[in-house]
Amino acid sequence: MTTKKSKLFYFIPYSMWILLFVIAPILLIIYQSFFDVSGHFTFANYQTYFSSGTYLQMTISSVWYAFLITLFTFLVSYPTAYLLSKTKHKQLWLLLIILPTWINLLLKAYAFIGIFSSNGNVNGFLEFIGIGSKQILFTDVSFLFVATYIEIPFMILPIFNAVEEINPSYISASTDLGANAWQTFRRVIFPLTLNGVKSGVQAVFIPSLSLFMLTRLIGGNRVITLGTAIEQHFLVTQNWGMGSTIGVVLIAAMVIIMLLTGEKKKRGRKMK
Amino acid sequence: MKKTGLKWSNLYLILVFAILYIPIFYLIYYSFNEGGTMNSFTGFTWDHYKEVFSDTRLLVIVLDTLLVALLSSLIATFIGTMGALGIYYTKKRPMRNALLSVNNVLMVSPDVIIGASFLVFFTFLGIGLGFGSVLMSHVAFSIPIVVLMVLPKLKEMNDSMISAAHDLGANNWQVLSRVILPTILPGILAGYFMAFTYSLDDFAVTFFVTGNGFSTLSVEIYSRARQGVSLSINALSALMFVFALTLVIGYYFIMQHNINKKKKQRKLAEIEAVKMR
Amino acid sequence: MPNQSIITFKDVVKEYDDQPILNHVDFEIEKGKFYTLLGPSGCGKTTILRLIAGFTDATSGEIYLDGKKVNDIPANKRKVNTVFQDYALFPHMNVFDNVAFGLSIKKMAQQKIVEKVKEVLKMVQLSGYENREISEMSGGQRQRVAIARALANEPEVLLLDEPLSALDLKLRTEMQYELRALQRRLGITFIFVTHDQEEALAMSDEIFVINKGHIVQSGTPVDIYDEPINRFVADFIGESNIVKGNMMDDYRVKFVGKEFECVDAGMRENEAVEIVLRPEDLEITAVEKGKLKVKVDTQLFRGVHYEIVCSDTDQNEWVIHSTKKAKIGAEVGLYFNPEDIHVMRFNETEEEFDARLEAYEEE
């Protein structure tokens, strides 16, 4: 049939893209992870990774920071998303939440450098209320703050969508059956927004594992994430093999997160 | 009781909005500072804006960034729309799901991985790093966004409309150009727009695959920011904020124009959901 | 006589954005009966239901539930439960958890909950479906789960918001019987909202016909069908032939240029009125035997009867339901009995209507 032919035609450029830019790079990075600096085949990279304390510790701290960022982001975003969905002109407010994400990430990071710097406004304020000037920039706290700041909109959106999708008659039904506002929230609204939370976690946790310019600009290299390490190996020390090895580990972590937070195929739940 | 509860929630929202916008207004505020630092405002000046417009290197980079964004989103929209049509026509469920999963790989991959793997890929093929490699990378990471924007539109499309077009004597090409494409146009436009902003916003991938002599705005800001404070960057930020604002407003109106009032809400939400990775 | 009314509306007004949805509504609902709120979409019937349930507040007026004013009592504290139009079954819970929801909110002991759920599921003929997911249930089954969930709370009043509208015809008829039987068995008050007049006639003890935020007429299905108060009710409930006429005297009415004997009285002399004749009350006979002379225009076979459309010399259209076939183009006579003529006055309120009926029926 003719549609078969046209279908094939549609697929040519798209499948080229899949082959060249999705499958090939992943295979190449796995391939690359088995070579050392001088181009010899080796398992040494993995050996180094799994036996050296530095790498393991870095992985753990990277996961820990990503976890903290995700947690804080969630704690700020859930109430925001929920309250937003109750406002008038919520679409406009939502757009205003999104707007900062359209401003280049680096510019925002750059603004925080100014705000947090030793003679910046925050310190001015601290001095004013009598606490005195503190080193804020290049601390874990500032890194966590800025990272959370950057990820908030990405968590708000899926949760907001999930809240919006809830059929209002579920809430009426819950009240009708005797539940008060808190019971309705805990037993109906929150479970129904769980998928939004999951995609929010996905959208925040994975990028948080691999943030790298923030670690340098705000964290002052005190925090080293897997992302920083990859960037170091590829662009500074030119040890691509080791960089790729960390990349493979990161990909594995990503797959695990996807499986953990992915929508479990509940029996026919989506069936209409 | 109810009244105060409402007030607390408003206060909370105001606080969140304030935190989201403080850094941006902070940058803009100091872009007018006569003194050279972001600490104390000593007087009003346009100097930093003049500086931006006299900095030819910076202007070239801005143009390059726009060029990459325009070209990459155009190509990505073309390939992505075809891909979406291909996926739409794939009726076998496992195949379709597999395609969708592959499509989403780049959506969920961290930028660092995309950047590093593309770097390995380009080096492996012996492609020089520069405009070409950056353009290709931007096309590559924009395609799945376009697919995700166009697919829902295709799914919404009434199947019998296509049968009707065939029934009325249209051939495949006519069905595509006169029925399908006009129907999914809002999705295509949204996809183009998203791809464009993704490209403008990208730092990590470009940082990996660019070579000497070619730079985009984010990479340039990164290197300048590391060297210390320069208020011309603030001026540039202010300009970019205005630009982004214009884009957002433009985008908002495109969406409003294309989607009737009832559907608007849903669509916007969907689009935004895709913007996050 | 003790006050048997379980719900009372006193001069209730509901406005949305200054648009009146309900206009000074008064009514009483008695315990243990099956009520239907019938009207076209947007007439305010669902708003009445939502006011009873407590999902929305009245702009003014008073609402009493079981003798207590409930205007300020939230929905979760009212002893009424609702079966929603879209069922509103929680998608993240299975059948058991849905039905048990209200009971577990009340912190009932688990053992008791299990028993109660079993009991109500049996009542709606869904025994053994406890562990099914909602998505695995068919439309009719979901409907039953929704009813079971509402009944588990043992409400005094069950509110049903067009619950059958999503079902196909056969299932709908089946559910009509079941709901009616269920109401009789439980002996609680059902308030059923629908725009389907057949459904209303088939199920109810009492029907409230609602239009534009007013209760236009209330009464038993037979009363409303036989004595529609005005053109709206006559048109909305059943099919009607409506023509203009004049009341000559008590029990004498004139329409289509002829005077007829009728059973209505208590109106002014020569008052302009409207006449309703139901299609099934008209009988086709020979021209000389008929009270009216008409010409057969079209005819449709409807299964149980023929629907025959005729016209008289005044160009009035007459629809007749007959089991016998007519001949298109033929001149025929129409015969009807005096009690088949229903006379409706213009702008008569329900109170006036009832008063007039009482006055001349006592004679």
Side-chain angles (χ1 to χ4, degrees):
Chain A
M1 227 182 89
T2 35
T3 26
K4 274 252 168 71
K5 245 200 287 176
S6 56
K7 185 184 135 187
L8 221 64
F9 167 73
Y10 296 140
F11 264 129
I12 293 169
Y14 185 65
S15 45
M16 289 281 282
W17 166 74
I18 290 182
L19 274 178
L20 288 178
F21 289 97
V22 180
I23 296 172
I26 291 177
L27 291 180
L28 275 172
I29 211 165
I30 296 171
Y31 173 80
Q32 188 75 46
S33 69
F34 292 105
F35 287 88
D36 62 15
V37 191
S38 44
H40 296 108
F41 182 84
T42 176
F43 286 106
N45 293 327
Y46 286 94
Q47 240 161 20
T48 322
Y49 185 90
F50 286 106
S51 59
S52 110
T54 348
Y55 281 116
L56 289 180
Q57 207 195 337
M58 182 186 76
T59 311
I60 291 168
S61 80
S62 194
V63 169
W64 173 241
Y65 278 110
F67 168 76
L68 287 179
I69 293 167
T70 311
L71 180 71
F72 294 146
T73 310
F74 168 74
L75 291 178
V76 176
S77 303
Y78 199 99
T80 310
Y82 184 73
L83 295 174
L84 264 186
S85 73
K86 301 272 169 277
T87 55
K88 274 186 190 174
H89 310 297
K90 50 190 165 193
Q91 268 346 92
L92 182 70
W93 293 120
L94 189 68
L95 210 62
L96 286 176
I97 290 276
I98 296 153
L99 185 61
T101 69
W102 297 41
I103 311 283
N104 200 302
L105 186 69
L106 284 146
L107 290 179
K108 287 180 286 188
Y110 181 66
F112 278 108
I113 295 179
I115 293 172
F116 286 156
S117 66
S118 50
N119 33 15
N121 297 46
V122 174
N123 268 322
F125 177 72
L126 287 180
E127 223 153 284
F128 177 73
I129 59 171
I131 294 179
S133 183
K134 286 247 160 65
Q135 172 70 31
I136 302 174
L137 200 61
F138 307 142
T139 60
D140 297 1
V141 178
S142 64
F143 170 68
L144 284 176
F145 184 90
V146 177
T148 304
Y149 166 85
I150 282 167
E151 302 292 356
I152 280 174
F154 300 113
M155 181 74 94
I156 290 181
L157 279 168
I159 296 175
F160 177 87
N161 291 339
V163 174
E164 280 292 275
E165 262 177 33
I166 294 180
N167 183 342
S169 66
Y170 292 151
I171 293 154
S172 295
S174 172
T175 328
D176 186 67
L177 293 166
N180 60 29
W182 168 243
Q183 285 165 326
T184 300
F185 177 78
R186 195 170 56 88
R187 303 192 43 175
V188 179
I189 298 173
F190 189 72
L192 286 175
T193 51
L194 211 57
N195 277 333
V197 174
K198 280 179 179 171
S199 36
V201 168
Q202 261 180 30
V204 170
F205 191 85
I206 296 168
S208 301
L209 268 183
S210 57
L211 285 170
F212 74 92
M213 73 296 218
L214 276 192
T215 56
R216 188 158 298 152
L217 291 178
I218 306 289
N221 275 348
R222 283 174 46 87
V223 183
I224 296 190
T225 63
L226 292 176
T228 324
I230 294 174
E231 188 252 353
Q232 285 280 336
H233 282 301
F234 268 94
L235 301 178
V236 183
T237 60
Q238 298 287 326
N239 185 353
W240 287 18
M242 197 61 222
S244 301
T245 305
I246 303 169
V248 172
V249 172
L250 196 52
I251 291 173
M254 183 181 96
V255 171
I256 292 169
I257 297 295
M258 298 301 289
L259 289 179
L260 282 180
T261 56
E263 260 180 76
K264 287 178 197 98
K265 290 272 177 295
K266 284 179 195 132
R267 290 155 297 154
R269 180 145 287 188
K270 278 270 147 94
M271 217 166 65
K272 282 246 165 95
Chain B
M1 195 40 228
K2 221 175 186 176
K3 278 258 161 72
T4 55
L6 213 71
K7 281 216 176 107
W8 277 111
S9 71
N10 282 347
L11 199 69
Y12 182 80
L13 286 181
I14 289 167
L15 193 74
V16 170
F17 273 104
I19 291 175
L20 281 179
Y21 279 92
I22 280 174
I24 294 161
F25 289 123
Y26 181 85
L27 281 182
I28 295 175
Y29 177 66
Y30 279 106
S31 72
F32 298 107
N33 187 10
E34 207 176 38
T37 64
M38 280 206 276
N39 300 322
S40 52
F41 196 86
T42 51
F44 181 87
T45 178
W46 286 103
D47 280 359
H48 306 298
Y49 288 87
K50 284 183 196 137
E51 210 176 303
V52 168
F53 285 106
S54 60
D55 187 342
T56 42
R57 179 183 150 78
L58 197 61
L59 289 178
V60 167
I61 288 171
V62 169
L63 286 179
D64 278 346
T65 309
L66 285 175
L67 185 67
V68 167
L70 281 170
L71 268 181
S72 69
S73 47
L74 198 67
I75 301 169
T77 306
F78 187 70
I79 300 176
T81 306
M82 283 171 93
L85 283 167
I87 293 176
Y88 176 71
Y89 280 128
T90 308
K91 295 298 176 201
K92 278 183 218 123
R93 263 191 161 257
M95 180 65 179
R96 197 166 155 160
N97 288 340
L99 276 170
L100 278 174
S101 315
V102 173
N103 186 65
N104 287 352
V105 166
L106 289 190
M107 294 295 299
V108 297
S109 299
D111 294 350
V112 179
I113 295 287
I114 299 177
S117 64
F118 283 4
L119 176 61
V120 174
F121 174 71
F122 289 131
T123 317
F124 187 79
L125 291 185
I127 296 171
L129 301 179
F131 177 78
S133 60
V134 172
L135 181 68
M136 275 191 269
S137 308
H138 282 219
V139 170
F141 70 64
S142 299
I143 287 174
I145 306 159
V146 177
V147 172
L148 287 185
M149 299 270 77
V150 175
L151 256 188
K153 279 277 146 200
L154 279 169
K155 279 186 190 150
E156 262 174 37
M157 194 170 62
N158 189 344
D159 267 343
S160 53
M161 201 170 69
I162 295 163
S163 308
H166 279 298
D167 183 65
L168 294 168
N171 62 30
N172 276 332
W173 168 245
Q174 286 164 326
V175 169
L176 180 69
S177 64
R178 293 172 59 174
V179 179
I180 299 179
L181 286 182
T183 313
I184 62 172
L185 191 65
I188 297 176
L189 284 179
Y192 177 80
F193 219 86
M194 295 303 305
F196 186 75
T197 51
Y198 259 62
S199 170
L200 276 188
D201 205 38
D202 177 68
F203 162 69
V205 175
T206 315
F207 191 60
F208 272 89
V209 298
T210 192
N212 286 337
F214 187 79
S215 180
T216 64
L217 211 46
S218 351
V219 175
E220 181 70 10
I221 294 168
Y222 180 69
S223 56
R224 288 193 185 193
R226 293 188 67 191
Q227 286 154 13
V229 181
S230 153
L231 291 190
S232 63
I233 294 186
N234 290 50
L236 190 64
S237 320
L239 292 173
M240 285 179 69
F241 178 73
V242 172
F243 184 63
L245 200 66
T246 322
L247 278 187
V248 169
I249 292 167
Y251 164 79
Y252 190 66
F253 277 105
I254 289 177
M255 295 318 288
Q256 271 201 324
H257 185 74
N258 282 321
I259 297 156
N260 62 42
K261 261 199 164 175
K262 273 211 168 159
K263 279 195 172 165
K264 178 186 74 190
Q265 203 166 314
R266 230 195 135 71
K267 270 313 91 138
L268 252 168
E270 263 174 36
I271 284 150
E272 301 318 338
V274 169
K275 177 154 161 87
M276 354 142 306
R277 287 188 258 189
Chain C
M1 196 175 122
N3 187 8
Q4 280 292 303
S5 68
I6 185 150
I7 296 170
T8 309
F9 270 46
K10 274 195 186 152
D11 197 28
V12 173
V13 175
K14 175 71 191 174
E15 288 173 356
Y16 279 114
D17 303 327
D18 293 333
Q19 289 288 319
I21 304 294
L22 289 183
N23 251 332
H24 304 282
V25 169
D26 285 280
F27 63 81
E28 287 192 6
I29 281 179
E30 286 170 33
K31 249 181 201 160
K33 282 194 181 176
F34 197 120
Y35 285 85
T36 298
L37 308 181
L38 174 66
S41 51
C43 69
K45 55 190 192 297
T46 298
T47 307
I48 295 180
L49 213 63
R50 294 176 62 82
L51 283 168
I52 299 172
F55 300 143
T56 181
D57 295 325
T59 310
S60 70
E62 287 160 6
I63 299 168
Y64 293 89
L65 239 166
D66 216 4
K68 268 184 299 188
K69 190 177 169 198
V70 293
N71 287 48
D72 295 322
I73 295 181
N76 54 333
K77 301 272 193 275
R78 298 190 189 184
K79 272 205 77 83
V80 296
N81 286 112
T82 309
V83 177
F84 291 84
Q85 184 169 16
D86 57 1
Y87 314 144
L89 296 171
F90 304 125
H92 59 296
M93 300 177 188
N94 63 16
V95 170
F96 179 89
D97 292 334
N98 262 288
V99 177
F101 187 86
L103 305 174
S104 67
I105 290 287
K106 283 186 200 157
K107 305 243 170 5
M108 196 187 256
Q110 186 61 27
Q111 186 53 40
K112 273 184 136 180
I113 292 180
V114 173
E115 277 167 28
K116 185 73 197 174
V117 170
K118 216 171 174 177
E119 182 194 323
V120 287
L121 281 179
K122 196 176 166 205
M123 226 182 273
V124 295
Q125 300 170 23
L126 280 180
S127 295
Y129 283 82
E130 282 90 341
N131 293 320
R132 292 281 189 100
E133 293 295 327
I134 296 304
S135 54
E136 297 167 336
M137 308 288 276
S138 71
Q141 288 171 327
R142 288 181 200 192
Q143 165 76 76
R144 287 159 202 258
V145 177
I147 294 169
R149 184 177 70 176
L151 289 178
N153 267 18
E154 299 183 349
E156 286 164 25
V157 180
L158 186 69
L159 308 173
L160 303 107
D161 185 7
E162 306 217 17
L164 306 184
S165 57
L167 304 181
D168 63 53
L169 183 66
K170 195 157 177 286
L171 209 53
R172 196 156 67 210
T173 323
E174 228 176 273
M175 283 308 292
Q176 286 171 8
Y177 279 107
E178 273 186 43
L179 277 177
R180 184 73 238 226
L182 195 64
Q183 189 269 332
R184 291 226 165 99
R185 202 143 32 97
L186 293 168
I188 62 173
T189 313
F190 275 34
I191 303 179
F192 187 93
V193 160
T194 184
H195 61 262
D196 181 337
Q197 44 105 5
E198 279 179 46
E199 210 163 87
L201 293 173
M203 299 167 78
S204 329
D205 291 318
E206 292 267 337
I207 297 177
F208 290 2
V209 183
I210 300 167
N211 189 32
K212 293 179 184 162
H214 288 285
I215 295 182
V216 183
Q217 189 174 10
S218 56
T220 65
V222 176
D223 282 350
I224 286 179
Y225 189 83
D226 281 351
E227 291 294 340
I229 186 170
N230 60 23
R231 192 185 185 102
F232 171 80
V233 178
D235 235 4
F236 197 74
I237 298 184
E239 280 184 77
S240 311
N241 297 299
I242 303 176
V243 292
K244 288 200 161 62
N246 290 86
M247 206 65 195
M248 304 315 292
D249 196 359
D250 282 359
Y251 311 113
R252 300 290 303 167
V253 65
K254 183 181 173 187
F255 57 91
V256 205
K258 283 186 184 173
E259 263 188 48
F260 299 95
E261 186 191 340
C262 69
V263 294
D264 293 272
M267 284 164 254
R268 282 175 280 121
E269 210 169 287
N270 210 23
E271 183 180 337
V273 291
E274 283 183 305
I275 314 297
V276 178
L277 280 159
R278 297 284 186 190
E280 66 274 19
D281 292 337
L282 296 174
E283 199 183 320
I284 294 181
T285 63
V287 177
E288 57 278 9
K289 283 189 194 164
K291 292 189 173 177
L292 281 174
K293 197 175 88 175
V294 295
K295 194 170 134 252
V296 179
D297 291 335
T298 57
Q299 168 169 264
L300 274 179
F301 180 57
R302 290 277 191 190
V304 273
H305 58 247
Y306 287 93
E307 187 174 289
I308 302 158
V309 181
C310 307
S311 56
D312 61 25
T313 44
D314 287 3
Q315 300 309 311
N316 290 311
E317 203 173 71
W318 296 91
V319 179
I320 300 131
H321 290 172
S322 164
T323 48
K324 277 178 241 136
K325 216 169 156 175
K327 216 172 131 198
I328 291 177
E331 299 252 310
V332 294
L334 286 184
Y335 183 80
F336 45 86
N337 294 317
E339 60 270 26
D340 297 331
I341 301 175
H342 309 298
V343 178
M344 306 181 301
R345 301 173 83 183
F346 288 98
N347 302 319
E348 191 174 37
T349 66
E350 212 185 346
E351 292 85 44
E352 292 162 353
F353 176 76
D354 289 341
R356 181 168 62 80
L357 242 59
E358 249 169 61
Y360 75 77
E361 270 169 5
E362 271 169 16
E363 280 171 17

